[in-house]
Amino acid sequence: MPTDEQVFGQVPEKPSFPGLEEEILSFWKEIDAFKESLRQSKEENRPVYTFYDGPPFATGLPHYGHILAGTIKDTVTRYAHQTGHHVSRRFGWDCHGLPVEYEIDKKLGIKGTQDVEKMGIKKYNSECRAIVTRYCSEWESIVTRLGRWIDFKNDYKTMEPWYMESVWWVFKTIFEKGLVYQGFRVMPFSTACNTPLSNFEAGLNYKDVADPAVIVTFPLVEDPEVSFLAWTTTPWTLPSNLALCCHPTMTYVKIKDVASSKLFILAESRLVEMYPKMKKKGYKGGEYEVVEKYTGADLKGKKYEPILPYFKDHPNAFQVLNDEYVTDDSGVGIVHQAPAFGEDDYRVCVAAGIIVKGGELPCPVDANGRFTAEVTDFVGEHVKEADKAICTMLKESGRLYRKDIYRHSYPFCWRSDTPLIYKAVPSWFIAVEEIKEKLVENNTKTYWVPAFVKEKRFHNWLENARDWNVSRNRYWGTPLPIWQSEDGEETVCIGSIEELEKLSGTKVEDLHRENIDHLEIPSQQGKGMLKRITEVFDCWFESGSMPYAQQHYPFEQKEEFEKGFPADFIAEGLDQTRGWFYTLMVLSTALFEKPAFKNLIVNGLVLAEDGKKMSKRLKNYPDPSLVVNKYGADALRLYLINSPVVRAEPLKFTEIGVLGVVREVFLPWYNAFRFLLQNSERLERTAGIKFDRTSAESKSESSENIMDRWILAALHGLIDFVRKEMAAYRLYTVIPRLVKFIEQLTNWYVRLNRDRLKNAEGDVEDCTNSLSTLYTVLVNLSKLMAPFTPFFTEYMYQVLVVPENTVSRTLSSGSDVKAAVKSVHFEMIPTPNLNLLNKEMEEKMKYMQDIINLCRLARGNDLPLKRPIRELIIVHEDQKVLDTLKDVESYILAESNIKKITLSTDEKAWCKLSARADGRVLGKKLGKQFKAVLKAVQKLSHEELSKFQKDKVLEVEGVSLSTTDVLIQRTVIADEKKYRGQVSEDNISIILDIVEDDSLLEEWAAREVVNRVQKLRKNSGVAISDVLDVYIEVVKDDKKSATLEKQINNQKEFLVGRLKRPLLSMKALGTAVVVGSSEDEIDGTKLNLVLAKPSVIAGSDLKAGVQSLVESMDYDWMKENAKECVSVVLDGENVSLHRGKDYFLDAMELA
């Protein structure tokens, strides 16, 4: 906390970013910052910005995927608030569905529906309710620690009766539009969870498996000596076989197997399945003989013998059908049909009249995946486990031709991780296919980042959308609000609690099954009492209803909802393309014929460092809480959103990547911030001028210094860029630009202006301008970066802008400061001052930085930066480019430690131009002519290539070439013993004259001494403001020591300028208090250094006794009482001593 005299408070030299963040969290909590920000925006009547937050399950702790999505959401909504909007942010919880039930089934050892029925739905749902909010407090703690501002107190839960009521309204509205129907559908089915899954759920968890692949024989009724062959990887479906299917135009053959003399019919193109030797070169045949050929259409209607007897009396069955879904990429080109277990099977059999809609459907498998009584030989066995026994039975009956192992990708239940089966179930559907065109149209009205997810993946999914099965045969969920008569002919759909109470005559307070399943509704058609069907909603239907249900629409907040719909923004991971994004679009289109959202950011998946899925079992990723406590939430946030993952690409998470953000972004940023504070205090201490932050912006903008003008131009260019790109939701362009600017500020502006900021030259006005500029940039940067790194920007803002309301002072002042306190998150994003934009200045600084970097590169490892270089020659063909460098020559000289710069347009004297034609571009364009053009381009002279660069067009071998067709390369051609060169991407060539002389070596030695003194100060732990004398001794042991002494003596002026103190002889140390010492060496010569507190220094001409007396005098007494002279008694004799001759009270008096 600053004193009354200080402008800013002191900050630690080595920050703990997690510790600073904890302070900020306490500060936010004390002032109720999030709530206060909402109060301000509402009070100011700002336009509403609507955000929908997809509800997670609270049955597990948040992982990096949640943290990533949460960071994106927080960043965008904070930015919306700071650009003048009112942004409500409300957390929600997905409480129903398989994730919860699966946990309870594991806990209670429930194996199937009969176990639930036995214990009772009420008790089962009570168990589910008990674990739904198990981790809510942990979620709130972790999300808050990550800096996300979202309302947990006013959250929504999908299990609340008011939420469920809105879900009922959504369903009834769609029902009344004729978009709901009941029917059989072969669906992905989880036998572990006893429920069908939607197609997008089935697509969530594919695995590579090895299944039995069998070829089975089906003897023709008309000629039992001839058998159809059919191939399947699901032998358990064979007991339910009712037909075979061939492609109508595919060629089929009847063959005689030479080895067995048996006759078979299969696709001609799949003979290789029976005779693998056909794949080998030089196959001579002899394994089979073709007896007859057919098309699939020729085989249609032919009857065959049932393979198993369980459904042998099914009418119109056991015949060959035709359909184009049959392929010849595997199997034998004939597919067996079990309509209860295959979507195409069901469709084909219904079309052929083997199955009648609403009629009998052989489906001898229960909800637990076990055979029912119809399949007498395998009753009670799980279908997957029965495969082996079925194959054995077929072999014994002579119907198994061959059994292999087939490796393929197969869907697993995303919750139980068990194989799915496909099974016909009576279900309730939303007729998505009827609104498919509108879905595709509404998709075009939305804006996605990145766009390819919308235009390809999501568009394709909508184009191929199927009717959505929204019913689940489960217990813990929102019940479908459908009451039916016993014959199913009368159906009533309920849309509210009030409607149910009115029709049933019973008070209703909760809508879960145990509370309403017993309620009956009188028939309006004389059919007695209507009873509720048993199904509950797919939990995706509930989350897709979130925009309406979270506000209890249309029962409450009707006007508020309609003003804010569709949402301005949503964000989730790529895996939600077929999940939440899809259900939102389907329901909003069905309800209002419009999309549910306007703008969407899709993030990619966060993987473990090895590229695998993050796994708690494998422990292949660091605990997020530990990472935050070690590096800080800001570092984790910036690491995540400055990665490919914001472009919907995967990120391999590494802890070292988070550490890199701390080292490369936050520490330099913090050091620049601390450097400002230190030097504003230094200015006040040394010049008596207190830094005025209120006039800093105007001072910075009036500065004529080129570096000040550049960094302000860069700042306002950045602000302009961020505003434009954030309006387009392109985090992947914004974050790199912000990080780059921090690097420009810390690595270039601060470093190149250290002496100005320190007032090293004593030019107070120039120092004040540079401090004002740095202050202005840091304050604006804190506002601009606040949505991205909310903690550090708040900390910096509190110190820089409102030091009287610093965190520690605010907390000690109590809650009465809330109304007056400021936060960076209450500020608006800065607006760019277009008058300060200066593209020429930014280009000039880019050239300068490139040249400095090229000089470092050219030096290599053997010419360190401390060694001065005689001359730098900068070459470019355009004099205008060289002219722009004149303003920054002094910076290039200082940063590159170079004595002289020469500018030249004579490229030919220093560089060689060569070229080659770009084969990737011209190869396709020119064809055979390319070789001649390639040779001609390689022969082009320096002058021709130079002209080509200016004209941008060149004709070679009758072909007109542009600069995009030809790659031109510059090579420095100077004498390598005297020069070293490099070339920039802007075709600026630099050449260093590396020949050394005595003056250069002297300066190098002096720089080495400065370096050793600075290291000693650092190692001694002294403050920058501590004034200490420096004593030096060169150890005399060879000629080199004399040389070093001479070099140091010749560079006195340079050394005093850098150290602000003269180097004193070790002989003069006397009784001075030593603070630190070191034994060092420079180029092999030993060197002793001592740092000591200032003391009285004796003149060199004093007699020994007087000298000893002077050196023993008390420094503080002398400073107070002997400012000009002093009299002493020595051996009974009065001696007058004069300051500046006989004694010195400041080492600078000797300089």
Side-chain angles (χ1 to χ4, degrees), residues 1112-1137:
S1112 67
M1113 289 177 174
D1114 182 83
Y1115 177 75
D1116 292 330
W1117 186 90
M1118 289 288 286
K1119 278 194 76 173
E1120 185 67 28
N1121 299 289
K1123 294 181 180 178
E1124 299 298 333
C1125 64
V1126 66
S1127 295
V1128 298
V1129 178
L1130 182 67
D1131 297 333
E1133 183 181 344
N1134 284 323
V1135 179
S1136 292
L1137 302 173

mmCIF file of all heavy atoms in Angstrom, residues 1112-1137:
data_model
loop_
_atom_site.group_PDB
_atom_site.id
_atom_site.type_symbol
_atom_site.label_atom_id
_atom_site.label_comp_id
_atom_site.label_asym_id
_atom_site.label_seq_id
_atom_site.Cartn_x
_atom_site.Cartn_y
_atom_site.Cartn_z
ATOM 1 N N SER A 1112 39.314 6.895 8.818
ATOM 2 C CA SER A 1112 38.624 6.382 10.012
ATOM 3 C C SER A 1112 37.488 7.288 10.473
ATOM 4 O O SER A 1112 36.770 6.966 11.410
ATOM 5 C CB SER A 1112 39.633 6.193 11.153
ATOM 6 O OG SER A 1112 40.140 7.465 11.579
ATOM 7 N N MET A 1113 37.326 8.449 9.824
ATOM 8 C CA MET A 1113 36.302 9.402 10.246
ATOM 9 C C MET A 1113 34.895 8.872 9.988
ATOM 10 O O MET A 1113 34.659 8.138 9.018
ATOM 11 C CB MET A 1113 36.490 10.738 9.508
ATOM 12 C CG MET A 1113 37.717 11.514 9.961
ATOM 13 S SD MET A 1113 37.922 13.036 8.985
ATOM 14 C CE MET A 1113 39.288 13.795 9.856
ATOM 15 N N ASP A 1114 33.941 9.260 10.852
ATOM 16 C CA ASP A 1114 32.545 8.840 10.708
ATOM 17 C C ASP A 1114 31.909 9.552 9.517
ATOM 18 O O ASP A 1114 31.860 10.791 9.476
ATOM 19 C CB ASP A 1114 31.759 9.150 11.997
ATOM 20 C CG ASP A 1114 30.335 8.678 11.899
ATOM 21 O OD1 ASP A 1114 30.081 7.472 12.147
ATOM 22 O OD2 ASP A 1114 29.461 9.496 11.538
ATOM 23 N N TYR A 1115 31.413 8.763 8.579
ATOM 24 C CA TYR A 1115 30.893 9.306 7.316
ATOM 25 C C TYR A 1115 29.679 10.202 7.554
ATOM 26 O O TYR A 1115 29.594 11.311 7.011
ATOM 27 C CB TYR A 1115 30.537 8.156 6.371
ATOM 28 C CG TYR A 1115 29.918 8.594 5.060
ATOM 29 C CD1 TYR A 1115 30.711 9.162 4.063
ATOM 30 C CD2 TYR A 1115 28.563 8.461 4.823
ATOM 31 C CE1 TYR A 1115 30.153 9.575 2.869
ATOM 32 C CE2 TYR A 1115 27.992 8.860 3.633
ATOM 33 C CZ TYR A 1115 28.795 9.422 2.652
ATOM 34 O OH TYR A 1115 28.229 9.822 1.465
ATOM 35 N N ASP A 1116 28.739 9.748 8.367
ATOM 36 C CA ASP A 1116 27.522 10.533 8.595
ATOM 37 C C ASP A 1116 27.836 11.856 9.297
ATOM 38 O O ASP A 1116 27.245 12.900 8.978
ATOM 39 C CB ASP A 1116 26.518 9.715 9.426
ATOM 40 C CG ASP A 1116 25.973 8.544 8.645
ATOM 41 O OD1 ASP A 1116 25.881 8.652 7.400
ATOM 42 O OD2 ASP A 1116 25.629 7.512 9.258
ATOM 43 N N TRP A 1117 28.784 11.837 10.262
ATOM 44 C CA TRP A 1117 29.152 13.078 10.962
ATOM 45 C C TRP A 1117 29.789 14.063 9.999
ATOM 46 O O TRP A 1117 29.504 15.253 10.013
ATOM 47 C CB TRP A 1117 30.118 12.741 12.110
ATOM 48 C CG TRP A 1117 30.423 13.951 12.952
ATOM 49 C CD1 TRP A 1117 29.773 14.397 14.047
ATOM 50 C CD2 TRP A 1117 31.506 14.880 12.710
ATOM 51 N NE1 TRP A 1117 30.341 15.546 14.528
ATOM 52 C CE2 TRP A 1117 31.412 15.882 13.718
ATOM 53 C CE3 TRP A 1117 32.514 14.968 11.747
ATOM 54 C CZ2 TRP A 1117 32.308 16.942 13.773
ATOM 55 C CZ3 TRP A 1117 33.385 16.028 11.812
ATOM 56 C CH2 TRP A 1117 33.297 17.013 12.816
ATOM 57 N N MET A 1118 30.673 13.496 9.132
ATOM 58 C CA MET A 1118 31.362 14.347 8.172
ATOM 59 C C MET A 1118 30.374 14.981 7.184
ATOM 60 O O MET A 1118 30.497 16.153 6.819
ATOM 61 C CB MET A 1118 32.413 13.543 7.417
ATOM 62 C CG MET A 1118 33.616 13.148 8.256
ATOM 63 S SD MET A 1118 34.687 14.557 8.620
ATOM 64 C CE MET A 1118 35.493 14.806 7.025
ATOM 65 N N LYS A 1119 29.375 14.192 6.730
ATOM 66 C CA LYS A 1119 28.389 14.736 5.785
ATOM 67 C C LYS A 1119 27.620 15.889 6.404
ATOM 68 O O LYS A 1119 27.257 16.857 5.737
ATOM 69 C CB LYS A 1119 27.399 13.640 5.340
ATOM 70 C CG LYS A 1119 27.914 12.758 4.224
ATOM 71 C CD LYS A 1119 26.801 11.942 3.602
ATOM 72 C CE LYS A 1119 25.951 12.812 2.702
ATOM 73 N NZ LYS A 1119 24.947 12.030 1.951
ATOM 74 N N GLU A 1120 27.383 15.805 7.710
ATOM 75 C CA GLU A 1120 26.611 16.816 8.402
ATOM 76 C C GLU A 1120 27.455 18.028 8.795
ATOM 77 O O GLU A 1120 27.013 19.170 8.720
ATOM 78 C CB GLU A 1120 25.974 16.194 9.674
ATOM 79 C CG GLU A 1120 25.048 17.121 10.437
ATOM 80 C CD GLU A 1120 23.788 17.462 9.654
ATOM 81 O OE1 GLU A 1120 23.358 16.626 8.808
ATOM 82 O OE2 GLU A 1120 23.245 18.565 9.838
ATOM 83 N N ASN A 1121 28.731 17.817 9.186
ATOM 84 C CA ASN A 1121 29.526 18.878 9.808
ATOM 85 C C ASN A 1121 30.746 19.333 9.002
ATOM 86 O O ASN A 1121 31.389 20.314 9.375
ATOM 87 C CB ASN A 1121 30.011 18.412 11.190
ATOM 88 C CG ASN A 1121 28.849 18.110 12.114
ATOM 89 O OD1 ASN A 1121 28.160 19.011 12.566
ATOM 90 N ND2 ASN A 1121 28.619 16.813 12.371
ATOM 91 N N ALA A 1122 31.091 18.586 7.943
ATOM 92 C CA ALA A 1122 32.309 18.950 7.201
ATOM 93 C C ALA A 1122 32.022 19.030 5.718
ATOM 94 O O ALA A 1122 32.667 18.386 4.899
ATOM 95 C CB ALA A 1122 33.413 17.941 7.492
ATOM 96 N N LYS A 1123 31.015 19.854 5.410
ATOM 97 C CA LYS A 1123 30.613 19.921 4.010
ATOM 98 C C LYS A 1123 31.667 20.608 3.133
ATOM 99 O O LYS A 1123 31.736 20.354 1.934
ATOM 100 C CB LYS A 1123 29.283 20.659 3.898
ATOM 101 C CG LYS A 1123 28.132 19.897 4.542
ATOM 102 C CD LYS A 1123 26.812 20.632 4.395
ATOM 103 C CE LYS A 1123 25.688 19.836 5.042
ATOM 104 N NZ LYS A 1123 24.386 20.530 4.957
ATOM 105 N N GLU A 1124 32.478 21.479 3.728
ATOM 106 C CA GLU A 1124 33.503 22.181 2.955
ATOM 107 C C GLU A 1124 34.908 21.892 3.471
ATOM 108 O O GLU A 1124 35.831 21.638 2.701
ATOM 109 C CB GLU A 1124 33.237 23.692 2.997
ATOM 110 C CG GLU A 1124 31.904 24.108 2.394
ATOM 111 C CD GLU A 1124 31.806 23.769 0.911
ATOM 112 O OE1 GLU A 1124 32.867 23.695 0.227
ATOM 113 O OE2 GLU A 1124 30.667 23.561 0.424
ATOM 114 N N CYS A 1125 35.098 21.959 4.828
ATOM 115 C CA CYS A 1125 36.417 21.697 5.407
ATOM 116 C C CYS A 1125 36.267 21.255 6.851
ATOM 117 O O CYS A 1125 35.180 21.367 7.433
ATOM 118 C CB CYS A 1125 37.298 22.944 5.312
ATOM 119 S SG CYS A 1125 36.678 24.350 6.285
ATOM 120 N N VAL A 1126 37.386 20.779 7.414
ATOM 121 C CA VAL A 1126 37.376 20.322 8.794
ATOM 122 C C VAL A 1126 38.795 20.449 9.348
ATOM 123 O O VAL A 1126 39.779 20.313 8.610
ATOM 124 C CB VAL A 1126 36.879 18.860 8.894
ATOM 125 C CG1 VAL A 1126 37.840 17.912 8.222
ATOM 126 C CG2 VAL A 1126 36.663 18.458 10.350
ATOM 127 N N SER A 1127 38.923 20.775 10.656
ATOM 128 C CA SER A 1127 40.227 20.854 11.317
ATOM 129 C C SER A 1127 40.383 19.680 12.264
ATOM 130 O O SER A 1127 39.448 19.340 13.005
ATOM 131 C CB SER A 1127 40.349 22.172 12.109
ATOM 132 O OG SER A 1127 40.329 23.278 11.231
ATOM 133 N N VAL A 1128 41.560 19.074 12.257
ATOM 134 C CA VAL A 1128 41.841 17.935 13.132
ATOM 135 C C VAL A 1128 43.187 18.168 13.824
ATOM 136 O O VAL A 1128 44.021 18.955 13.368
ATOM 137 C CB VAL A 1128 41.877 16.623 12.334
ATOM 138 C CG1 VAL A 1128 40.540 16.341 11.695
ATOM 139 C CG2 VAL A 1128 42.973 16.655 11.280
ATOM 140 N N VAL A 1129 43.375 17.467 14.938
ATOM 141 C CA VAL A 1129 44.642 17.537 15.657
ATOM 142 C C VAL A 1129 45.356 16.216 15.488
ATOM 143 O O VAL A 1129 44.790 15.153 15.801
ATOM 144 C CB VAL A 1129 44.422 17.842 17.153
ATOM 145 C CG1 VAL A 1129 45.765 17.859 17.891
ATOM 146 C CG2 VAL A 1129 43.693 19.159 17.325
ATOM 147 N N LEU A 1130 46.571 16.284 15.001
ATOM 148 C CA LEU A 1130 47.366 15.073 14.784
ATOM 149 C C LEU A 1130 48.752 15.289 15.371
ATOM 150 O O LEU A 1130 49.471 16.225 14.959
ATOM 151 C CB LEU A 1130 47.456 14.764 13.273
ATOM 152 C CG LEU A 1130 48.224 13.507 12.914
ATOM 153 C CD1 LEU A 1130 47.481 12.274 13.415
ATOM 154 C CD2 LEU A 1130 48.412 13.404 11.402
ATOM 155 N N ASP A 1131 49.091 14.459 16.352
ATOM 156 C CA ASP A 1131 50.394 14.577 17.053
ATOM 157 C C ASP A 1131 50.567 15.979 17.625
ATOM 158 O O ASP A 1131 51.643 16.617 17.534
ATOM 159 C CB ASP A 1131 51.551 14.251 16.100
ATOM 160 C CG ASP A 1131 51.509 12.810 15.605
ATOM 161 O OD1 ASP A 1131 50.963 11.970 16.346
ATOM 162 O OD2 ASP A 1131 51.992 12.544 14.488
ATOM 163 N N GLY A 1132 49.427 16.530 18.195
ATOM 164 C CA GLY A 1132 49.494 17.840 18.842
ATOM 165 C C GLY A 1132 49.499 19.006 17.899
ATOM 166 O O GLY A 1132 49.623 20.165 18.298
ATOM 167 N N GLU A 1133 49.314 18.748 16.622
ATOM 168 C CA GLU A 1133 49.370 19.800 15.609
ATOM 169 C C GLU A 1133 48.016 19.914 14.899
ATOM 170 O O GLU A 1133 47.411 18.906 14.527
ATOM 171 C CB GLU A 1133 50.471 19.464 14.602
ATOM 172 C CG GLU A 1133 50.663 20.545 13.535
ATOM 173 C CD GLU A 1133 51.742 20.169 12.535
ATOM 174 O OE1 GLU A 1133 52.545 19.246 12.828
ATOM 175 O OE2 GLU A 1133 51.764 20.751 11.437
ATOM 176 N N ASN A 1134 47.489 21.175 14.757
ATOM 177 C CA ASN A 1134 46.235 21.396 14.032
ATOM 178 C C ASN A 1134 46.468 21.241 12.529
ATOM 179 O O ASN A 1134 47.386 21.850 11.974
ATOM 180 C CB ASN A 1134 45.692 22.797 14.309
ATOM 181 C CG ASN A 1134 45.066 22.887 15.692
ATOM 182 O OD1 ASN A 1134 44.444 21.951 16.151
ATOM 183 N ND2 ASN A 1134 45.239 24.041 16.346
ATOM 184 N N VAL A 1135 45.574 20.431 11.915
ATOM 185 C CA VAL A 1135 45.665 20.212 10.457
ATOM 186 C C VAL A 1135 44.315 20.566 9.838
ATOM 187 O O VAL A 1135 43.277 20.050 10.257
ATOM 188 C CB VAL A 1135 46.035 18.752 10.121
ATOM 189 C CG1 VAL A 1135 46.093 18.560 8.614
ATOM 190 C CG2 VAL A 1135 47.351 18.367 10.779
ATOM 191 N N SER A 1136 44.318 21.481 8.849
ATOM 192 C CA SER A 1136 43.075 21.837 8.131
ATOM 193 C C SER A 1136 42.959 20.974 6.870
ATOM 194 O O SER A 1136 43.884 20.917 6.051
ATOM 195 C CB SER A 1136 43.097 23.319 7.737
ATOM 196 O OG SER A 1136 43.024 24.132 8.879
ATOM 197 N N LEU A 1137 41.796 20.347 6.748
ATOM 198 C CA LEU A 1137 41.540 19.475 5.595
ATOM 199 C C LEU A 1137 40.399 20.066 4.774
ATOM 200 O O LEU A 1137 39.379 20.502 5.316
ATOM 201 C CB LEU A 1137 41.163 18.063 6.056
ATOM 202 C CG LEU A 1137 42.204 17.345 6.940
ATOM 203 C CD1 LEU A 1137 41.634 16.040 7.468
ATOM 204 C CD2 LEU A 1137 43.470 17.090 6.149
#
